[in-house]
Amino acid sequence: MSQFEFLMIIASIFVAIAITEIISWWGQLLRSDPYPPVSRIHLAWTILFVCNAVLYWSGFWPYRDIAIESYGQIWMLLLPTLFMILVGYALTPSPTALAEHNGKYFDEKRKTIFIPWSVFILLAVLADAAIVESPTLEGAVPGLVSMAVFVSLIFLSNPIINYVGLAFLFLLLFLVPILLGFEGGMEFFAN
């Protein structure tokens, strides 16, 4: 087993925990009768989170040729994934909490969701700088812009601003990587 395979197993488990939390919550919603009151914006943010987690996980592939030798590099690889787990738990209320908030869970827990999500994005950008020997600003811009959107959403609760933020982040997370050559990093999936 190579060093890359060993470290990616740990990081992949952390990412899987975060994604599993969201998907299991979706399953609980589908099994509920009657459906609990959930806002569409809340569901949209959970979809964005799963997409963000998968995109983040696929970003590990370029690390395959980099020697991760220091303890700091290992922590910078794992810290963002730990915050990803916190975001997953913050986004998924228990059935009791969802009933108590009467569909307003997302509105009331906005800061609890967006603060760790902002930290996750910041740590992911810093991890690239710590692990990749010569990081480029071009690679950090999408992360820094998305972090700025998350930080602004901590303070702005207007639903229209949330929808605009969601649309912008979907475009940023999917169109920008394709325009910057994301398909080159996806060679792993073609094999």
Side-chain angles (χ1 to χ4, degrees):
M1 176 182 290
S2 70
Q3 177 196 42
F4 172 76
E5 291 167 341
F6 177 75
L7 292 173
M8 288 311 103
I9 288 171
I10 296 168
S12 295
I13 289 170
F14 288 169
V15 172
I17 291 168
I19 292 173
T20 300
E21 182 65 23
I22 299 291
I23 293 175
S24 66
W25 183 65
W26 290 345
Q28 291 172 4
L29 289 176
L30 290 174
R31 285 189 214 124
S32 298
D33 189 28
Y35 290 121
V38 178
S39 69
R40 285 175 286 186
I41 192 87
H42 187 181
L43 287 175
W45 281 111
T46 62
I47 292 167
L48 179 71
F49 176 76
V50 170
C51 294
N52 189 192
V54 170
L55 185 65
Y56 174 73
W57 174 81
S58 68
F60 291 152
W61 185 245
Y63 295 158
R64 70 190 179 280
D65 298 325
I66 297 172
I68 299 175
E69 299 168 341
S70 73
Y71 193 61
Q73 286 178 311
I74 293 170
W75 270 109
M76 286 310 295
L77 179 71
L78 298 178
L79 273 176
T81 56
L82 292 173
F83 273 88
M84 182 184 283
I85 292 170
L86 294 177
V87 176
Y89 280 113
L91 272 168
T92 55
S94 68
T96 308
L98 192 60
E100 288 173 2
H101 292 278
N102 196 22
K104 304 284 185 203
Y105 177 86
F106 179 80
D107 295 333
E108 294 177 12
K109 296 292 186 178
R110 190 179 71 255
K111 290 180 182 178
T112 308
I113 294 166
F114 289 130
I115 289 172
W117 206 336
S118 301
V119 173
F120 158 67
I121 297 293
L122 176 64
L123 288 173
V125 169
L126 292 175
D128 267 349
I131 295 169
V132 177
E133 308 249 324
S134 57
T136 63
L137 182 61
E138 180 182 89
V141 168
L144 295 173
V145 170
S146 62
M147 189 185 78
V149 171
F150 284 119
V151 168
S152 66
L153 288 169
I154 292 169
F155 303 105
L156 305 171
S157 63
N158 185 326
I160 293 171
I161 292 172
N162 271 276
Y163 284 117
V164 169
L166 265 167
F168 178 76
L169 288 170
F170 269 114
L171 290 174
L172 184 68
L173 288 174
F174 295 106
L175 290 183
V176 171
I178 290 169
L179 295 174
L180 293 178
F182 176 70
E183 67 278 349
M186 297 302 287
E187 295 167 0
F188 166 73
F189 297 104
N191 295 335

